[in-house]
Amino acid sequence: MNTFENVLIIGSGVAGMEASLMLSKAGKKVYLVEKLSLIGGKTIKNEETFPNMDCSTCLVAPIQQEILQDQKIDVMTVSTVQKVSGKAGNFKVTINKKARYVNIAACLGCGMCYPVCPVEQSNEWEENLINKKAIYVPCSGSLPNVPVIDADKCLRLNGSEECNLCVEACMFGAIDFTEKNETIEIEVGGIIVATGFDMLDVSEIENLGYKKYPGVYTAMEFERLFAANGPTEGKLTLRETEKIPESIAIIHCVGRKEVGYCSSICCMYSSKHAQFLKHKLPEAKIYNLYSDICVSDKTYQKFQKNVAKHSSKFIYRDDKSELEITQNDNKLKVSYQNNKGIQDAVTVDMVILANATVPSNDIELLTDVLQIEKDKFGFIDTQSFRIGSVVTSKPGIFVAGCAEGAKDLQSSVLQAEAAVSQILSMK
Amino acid sequence: MSDKIGIYVCECGPNIASKVDIPKIMEEISKLEDFKDKELIIKNHKLLCSVAGKKFLEDEINENKLTHLICAACSPRDHDTTFINVCKKTQLNPYMYRIVNIREHCAWIYHDKDVATEKAIRYIHAGMDRVMYQNPLIEKQLDSIPDVLIIGAGIAGIETALTLASDKRKVFLVEKTNIIGGNSLELKKLLPKQGISLNGLKQKISDVKENENIKVYTNTEVESIVGFLGNFEVVLKNNDKTIELLTGAIVLANGFDLFDPKEIPEYNYSEKDNVFTSLEIEKMYTKDGKIILKSGKIPESVALVHCVGRKEVGYCSKICCNYMLKIANYLKEQSSNTKVIDLYKHMCLPNKNDQMFYDSTVEKEVDFIKVTDVSLKGTKVQYIGIDEAKKDLDVDMVILAPAMIPPKDTKNLAELLKIDTDELGFYKESHMKINPISANLDGIFFVGAGRAPIGISEAMIQAQAASGKILTQLIPGQKIIPEVMVSEILEAYCTGCKTCLDVCGFGAIYFDEDKGISIVNEAICRGCGNCVGSCPSGSIRTKHFTNPQLYQEIKEALR
Ligand SMILES: Cc1cc2nc3c(=O)[nH]c(=O)nc-3n(C[C@H](O)[C@H](O)[C@H](O)COP(=O)(O)OP(=O)(O)OC[C@H]3O[C@@H](n4cnc5c(N)ncnc54)[C@H](O)[C@@H]3O)c2cc1C
Ligand SMILES: Cc1cc2nc3c(=O)[nH]c(=O)nc-3n(C[C@H](O)[C@H](O)[C@H](O)COP(=O)(O)OP(=O)(O)OC[C@H]3O[C@@H](n4cnc5c(N)ncnc54)[C@H](O)[C@@H]3O)c2cc1C
Ligand code: SF4
Ligand code: SF4
Ligand code: SF4
Ligand code: SF4
Ligand code: SF4
C-alpha cells in the first residue's frame, strides 16, 4: 500500500481544516483527529473576527460542513494520537478514539437528551462561565451537532445510578451505552500538527486579582460572554453581581513579560473588544491600557485607530512598572505608571485581561509521541534554516497555525497551505 | 418521454412529522390542479438523509425513471449536497432536482400545526412549479496546463519556483532586472532565526539556475496575459524580443518599494546630509563592509528613526522595528563606542523570537526612547517623548525606516490581469481571512511583499502556500471542471452596450467585435448573476437561476 496517499492532520481549527480540504481536493485520504467533540477550533468561540468583523460562524461553518460531508476526510472527534512509529512516507499511527456514546449516524442533534440529564458540571469550553450536563454539546451550533457523554460524570457510566433518562428522551435511539473506546491503527505518509494554542493562566500572576475579584475577566471569557450563543446569550452581565458594567478597562500585554514574547494578536482583539463593548453599551466608559501597539497587518492600524477614535480611550502605561488591580466596594481600581512616570489609576466595573497566547496545554504529550522538538516557549519548533517555517525537526511532520506560535487567522491559514505544499511535494 | 415527478417528504424523525401534517401535505399535493395531467409519485420517509433513506431515494429514482425530483426536507445548507450526490448515482440529472425546506421554514417556526402545514404545501408546490422549468446541465471538463508563470525573482518568487518545479510541471520565472534574488540580496545579514541564512538564499539562487524545470527570464517583463485557471496565454518582452508561453497559473512576486522620505516636509530630507534610509545602510554595509559618514568617518552617534511614512501610508510595515534592531547591532559591532539612539513609536515585535532579539539589543547599550513625533534638520533631531517633552538631539548620522509600499508595477500588473487591489494599493485577497494569497480571479496568486509588508520567512511561507494552492488545483493530467451554473448572453437580444463588461468582477465577459455583442466565457464565469441584473436589454440569464424558474417559484410562494 502506498501510504503517501494518506495524511494525518492533528487538530481541527482553521489551520487543520484548511489543510484537510486542500489535501482531499488533491486526492489524498485525510484522517483529521480532534480531541474535542466538535471541530472548528478556537475561532468558533469568537462572535466576530477582526478587522472586518466577519461573523465567525459564517466564516467557519461552511468549511466545517464541507469537511463533515467530504468522503475523503475521516473526521475522528474525541480522539487523540497515542503512538507514532516509522518515518516520512510510512508512519504507523495509533489513534485513541474515545466512546461518544451517541451514534453520530443516528443522532439528529435535536437536543432533547440534555435537559433531562440530572448531572451538572462546569463547561470548560464556555470558560466555566456556565454548567453543562453529563450529556452535552459544548455550545449551540456545535458541529458535528451531536452530543457526547462524559463517562466520568454520567451516573450510569460511572456506576452510581441506573439512570436512563437521556435514552428515554431520545426518539432516534441514538444513545448507545455499548460503545467502547477504540484503538485505531492507520498508516500515513505525512503528518500536519495543527493543535493551536491555549491562554496563559493569569491566576498565577500576582496583583491582577483574577479569580479573586469577579469583575476581572480573561480575553477568552469575554469572547464567550459577548457571544450570542454563549452562556449569557450575549448579555454583558458581570458574574456574581449580575450588573451591567458602566466602565471597563482592557489591559494589553498581560503575561507578555512572563512568557517572553508578544502574542501579536491581543492588541487587535483588545481593540475588537472595545468596539464590541461600545456597540452594546454605548454609554460605557472604555479604556485600553497599552505600552506598545502591535497592529502589524496592512489593515490593522486603521481598525485600531478607528476604535481609539470612537470606542475607547487608549492610555499609555509604562510596562517597566507593575500594574495592580484592587477592589473596593465592587469597584476595581487599576493602578499603573503613566507616560510621565507618575502613578495613576482608573476605576472601573470590569477588567478584561488580554492574556498571552501559549502552547496548547497537552503539547508535551504530543511532541513526545511524535518525537519532534519544541522551542524554548513550548511551541513546536521549526527547522528554519532548511526549507521554511512549517518544517519540524522530524522529516514528514509539519506544523501549521498557532501550534507554531501565536498568530491571526490568515497567518494560520497560510501556514496550513504551506504545509500542504510540503506534503504534496514529499517523495 | 413523459414527465414523472417524484415528491419525497422527509419526516426528519419527529422534527417535521410532529409539527406539520404530513398525510395532509401528501393528499393536497396529489390533488394539485395544475399537475393533474402529470404523473406524480408522492411518498414519505422517516429520515431521507440516512443511509437507508438515500438508498430508498436512489431506488425510487431508478425504478420509477423519474424526470423531476423534489425532496421536501431541511435547509439546503444541511442536505442539498446529500441529495445531489444521490442523483449523481442515478440517471437523473442533478439539476432536475430541488430541495424544499419544510423544516426550518415551516416545522420549526410555527406553534400552529395548520399554518405550518399550509405553508409547507405551498412551498412544495412552488418547488414543483420551479423544477418543471429546470433544465439538465452537464459538467464540462477542460484540459489544463500544469505549468506556472512567476513574475518577480525575489525570495518569494524563487521559493515558489523551487517548490513547484518538477518533471511534470515547468516553471517560468520572469525577472525585470538582470539578476535574481531581489531586495534580500542587498541585506548584509538576516534577522536571527528567520527561515533562511544569506548562504541559504544564495544556495536557493543557484538551485534555481540549475533546475532544468525552471526557466529563468531576466531583463524581461510581462506584456500581456489573457485566459483563466489552467489556460493562460502569456506574452513576455525581453528587450525587443517577444516570448509566448502557455501556463496554467500565475504567481505575482514583484516585491515592494520604500516610501520616499521627501514626502514628509518635517524631515527636510536631502541626499546631501548624513541621513540615510535603512536600505542604503544595508547596501553600504554589504558593499563596503562598514557604515560610514559622507566624510568617510565612522559615526560617533546615530539616531534611528522608526515609522517613517507610517502615518502617511496608513499602516505599520511590520518588519522595520526588527531590522532597525539589526542595524543597531551592526553599528555596535562596528564600534561599540558609537552611541545609538533608537527613536521608536511602538515597538512592533510580532514574531515569537523577536522579543529575545530586542532584549539582547538593549543589553548592547542601545538607548531606546519612545516618542510621539520626530522632525529633522539634517542630523539635528527634534522629538517629542511619550512624556510630551520636546527634546533636541544632535547626532552624526540619522537612519530612517521608511514604510514598505506597493511598487508601481503592482497597479500595472493588476490592471493587466484584471484583478483587484485594495485601498492601500496592495493586491487584494479573495478573502482576507480564509483565502489570503489568492486573487479574486482563479489561478492567480500573489506572494511576498505584494499582499502586505512582510519579512523573508513569511514571504517563504506564502510562496509555499501559493504552491500548495497550485498543487491542489492544477494536477498534471487532471481536467478542470468549471462552474456549471454560468451565465449566457442571448445573441439575438444583446445590443452590444458593454454594460456587463464593467459589472463582471471575474473578467468573464469579452466583446466580440465582429458580431458586436458581448459573450460570456463559461470557463471563467462563476454564475454570480451580477451581469444579469445590469443588462438593459435583459439578454443575459444565469443557468439554473433563469427568470421563468424564479418567477414560477415566487408566484406560487406569494400567491
Ligand atoms: C481572545 C481571542 C480572540 C481572537 N480573535 C481573533 C480575530 O478576531 N481575528 C483573527 O484573525 N484571529 C483572532 N484570534 C486568533 C485566532 O483564534 C487564531 O489565529 C486561530 O484560532 C488559530 O487557529 P489554529 O487552527 O491554529 O488553532 P485552534 O483554533 O486553537 O485549533 C486547534 C484545534 O486543535 C485541537 N487540539 C489541540 N490539541 C490537540 C491534540 N493533542 N489532539 C487533537 N486535537 C487537538 C483543539 O481542540 C482545536 O480544535 C483570537 C484569539 C484569541 C485568543
Ligand atoms: C532595510 C531592510 C532590511 C530588511 N531586513 C530584513 C531582514 O533582516 N530579515 C527579513 O526577513 N526581512 C528583511 N527585510 C524585508 C525583506 O527585504 C523582504 O521581506 C523581502 O525582500 C521580500 O521579498 P519579495 O520576494 O517579496 O520581494 P523583493 O525582494 O522586492 O523581490 C521582488 C523581485 O521582483 C522583481 N520585479 C519587480 N517588478 C517586476 C516586474 N514587473 N516584472 C518582473 N520582475 C519584477 C524585482 O526586480 C525583484 O527582483 C528588510 C527590508 C528592508 C527594506
Ligand atoms: S444516563 Fe448519564 S448522560 Fe444520560 S441522563 Fe443519565 S446521567 Fe445523564
Ligand atoms: S442523542 Fe438523540 S435526543 Fe440527543 S440530540 Fe441526538 S437525536 Fe436528539
Ligand atoms: S499584541 Fe499587543 S497586547 Fe499582545 S503582547 Fe503584543 S503588544 Fe502586547
Ligand atoms: S514595524 Fe515598527 S517601525 Fe515599522 S511601521 Fe511598524 S511600528 Fe513603525
Ligand atoms: S454571472 Fe457573474 S461571473 Fe458570470 S459573467 Fe455574469 S457577472 Fe461575470
Side-chain angles (χ1 to χ4, degrees), chain B residues 406-470:
Chain B
K408 280 191 209 71
D409 283 8
T410 291
K411 186 159 176 277
N412 300 340
L413 287 166
E415 276 170 9
L416 192 112
L417 286 162
K418 300 196 182 71
I419 59 167
D420 292 342
T421 49
D422 61 21
E423 55 179 26
L424 304 165
F426 292 105
Y427 295 120
K428 185 167 178 173
E429 310 85 335
S430 159
H431 190 290
M432 185 192 177
K433 289 277 150 187
I434 53 177
N435 206 358
I437 41 145
S438 304
N440 56 317
L441 298 190
D442 283 350
I444 304 177
F445 306 90
F446 40 82
V447 298
R451 192 198 78 93
I454 199 179
I456 290 171
S457 57
E458 270 185 281
M460 289 180 40
I461 287 177
Q462 292 188 354
Q464 294 170 10
S467 305
K469 286 271 168 183
I470 291 168

Side-chain angles (χ1 to χ4, degrees), chain B residues 248-280:
Chain B
I250 315 279
V251 179
L252 297 159
N254 58 306
F256 66 93
D257 274 350
L258 290 182
F259 177 84
D260 182 357
K262 285 203 187 89
E263 286 182 34
I264 305 175
E266 298 81 55
Y267 286 0
N268 297 299
Y269 176 76
S270 150
E271 278 91 358
K272 290 202 279 304
D273 297 323
N274 279 310
V275 180
F276 300 85
T277 68
S278 51
L279 199 55
E280 285 166 353

Side-chain angles (χ1 to χ4, degrees), chain B residues 21 54 125 171 203 403 416 418 453 515 541-542:
Chain B
D21 185 345
K54 286 187 282 192
H125 189 180
V171 172
Q203 182 61 45
L416 192 112
K418 300 196 182 71
K515 291 186 180 160
R541 55 178 216 149
T542 304

Side-chain angles (χ1 to χ4, degrees), chain A residues 22 50 69 172 256 291-293 297-299 301-302 339-340 375 384 387 404 410 417 421-422, chain B residues 13-14 78 81 195 310 315 346-347 352 355 370 386 422-423 427 432-433 451 464 469 472:
Chain A
M22 283 176 77
F50 62 73
Q69 301 217 347
F172 302 92
R256 175 175 176 168
S291 319
D292 283 302
I293 299 283
D297 203 8
K298 59 182 177 181
T299 56
Q301 169 171 323
K302 187 175 169 193
N339 59 338
K340 304 224 158 103
D375 62 19
S384 43
I387 349 185
E404 187 270 330
Q410 64 267 37
E417 294 172 351
S421 78
Q422 300 302 307
Chain B
D78 276 348
T81 9
R310 173 174 176 170
Y315 54 84
H346 293 281
M347 195 49 78
K352 61 183 180 184
Q355 179 85 37
K370 193 174 174 81
I386 185 78
D422 61 21
E423 55 179 26
Y427 295 120
M432 185 192 177
K433 289 277 150 187
R451 192 198 78 93
Q464 294 170 10
K469 286 271 168 183
T472 52

Side-chain angles (χ1 to χ4, degrees), chain B residues 93-157:
Chain B
N93 184 288
Y95 296 90
M96 301 305 285
Y97 133 89
R98 184 83 181 154
I99 192 169
V100 175
N101 183 354
I102 60 165
R103 192 178 72 181
E104 285 85 342
H105 283 186
C106 304
W108 278 357
I109 53 171
Y110 297 107
H111 292 301
D112 187 335
K113 195 167 175 172
D114 291 341
V115 178
T117 304
E118 176 57 30
K119 186 167 167 190
I121 292 167
R122 218 194 259 190
Y123 261 38
I124 296 170
H125 189 180
M128 291 165 70
D129 282 353
R130 185 194 208 275
V131 85
M132 296 313 293
Y133 279 76
Q134 290 178 194
N135 297 307
L137 300 178
I138 310 287
E139 279 180 354
K140 285 199 191 112
Q141 298 206 333
L142 301 176
D143 285 329
S144 68
I145 302 159
D147 303 343
V148 178
L149 171 75
I150 302 170
I151 304 169
I155 183 62

Side-chain angles (χ1 to χ4, degrees), chain A residues 116-119 134-135 149 154-156 163-167 177:
Chain A
V116 299
C117 175
V119 178
I135 181 168
I149 298 181
C154 166
L155 303 175
R156 175 165 166 164
C163 181
N164 202 32
L165 290 169
C166 57
V167 178
F177 284 110

